[in-house]
Amino acid sequence: MAIVADKVTVNPDVKVGEVILDVKNLKKYFPVRRGFFASLKGGPNPVLKAVDGVSFKVRKGEIYGVVGESGCGKTTMARTLLKLTEPTDGEMWFEGTDIAKLGPAETKVLRRHMQMVFQDPYESMNPRLNVSYIVSEPLRIQNVAKDVDESLPRVLQCLEDVEMTPVEEYIGRFPHELSGGQRQRIAVARALALDPSFIVADEPVSMLDVSIRGEVLNLMQNLTREKGVTFVYITHDLATARHICDRIAVMYLGRIVEEGTADDIVNDSLHPYTQALINAVFVPDPNKKQLGQVLKGEVPNPINPPKGCRLHPRCPKFMDGICNVTEPELVEIRPGHRAACHLLKNK
Ligand code: SF4
């Protein structure tokens, strides 16, 4: 049954495997302030193109990974999907509504269905509030419960869902009385409080000890399998993405350069950038041919991205006269496997 409030029509009956989020040509630009002398010269104000025309679909019940180096635009994209920052252009169809067009009141309604888990669990929690207050906060903001007491049954359920048991032991604790892994579980419990169908997790384990990262990632997997929650998992770490994601999109300088199943991306990648990432992350198998080479140089400035393919100044397979002239489009090379590279045109 559809839930209608203001202009928001959200259809929670989307079945597992059907498209829950359809992003079309999404852009997020930030104006850049010029210095005094630069502004005297006139001309248009420069813009930082953090996300520059990305299109992808997320299916219900999957974990969709977005992988890239820092500065590639993945966190800006995550925040834009949740409307924590307004898109500059493009469409974001979530369960039948283009949420890119929603105003503040409708966006508040949307929060019941879409939630976010932030990178730093300590930063995202008020240190003076205990677990009960923290987890119940969304219920009170959305007027689902009028106070902490009324929200208690739901809070206890959420703590059980994130395996913080026995719940009585944790309910009165403050953030500083929890380990990093426990704090991130509380952050997931808070995201679950309104029973959302869609959660964006922005680098949820990068601040955690390596030994406990697996616990939080497994928790996300369990929530997907048992409750059908859809996750977009934003990370710089291809190894963890391979571990939990069904499909992965690789981002470079504000664009998606490759997208496919986790297996396709890691074991059969097509794009030189993805191949370089894989070479940098995974221990080479002596029986396997190395796919690509290490990239040279630094990520270029997104205020002034390179003409043609954005990777061309760093790409070991650069072709003069093509790569530095025309930007390659993201096209389907094999069923379910898309890539943006001139080398792949006739594959
Ligand atoms: Fe490299 Fe050219 Fe492909 Fe870009 S289009 S990734 S520069 S080969």
Side-chain angles (χ1 to χ4, degrees), residues 257 270-273 308-319 322-324 326-328 340-344:
V257 295
L270 299 168
H271 197 281
Y273 179 66
C309 174
R310 290 167 192 219
L311 188 67
H312 87 252
R314 306 177 71 196
C315 182
K317 297 179 180 169
F318 166 71
M319 297 175 288
I322 304 172
C323 300
N324 49 353
T326 312
E327 183 154 21
C341 173
H342 292 304
L343 275 174
L344 304 166

Side-chain angles (χ1 to χ4, degrees), residues 107-124:
T107 300
K108 189 179 170 192
V109 177
L110 183 76
R111 293 265 181 275
R112 295 186 194 172
H113 310 278
M114 303 175 95
Q115 286 285 318
M116 186 149 178
V117 175
F118 296 92
Q119 180 176 17
D120 185 344
Y122 203 67
E123 281 274 301
S124 65

Side-chain angles (χ1 to χ4, degrees), residues 3 26 57 110 113 122 127 142 196 221 251 267:
I3 297 170
L26 183 67
K57 294 181 169 116
L110 183 76
H113 310 278
Y122 203 67
Q142 292 283 347
Q221 262 186 327
M251 269 187 91
N267 296 320

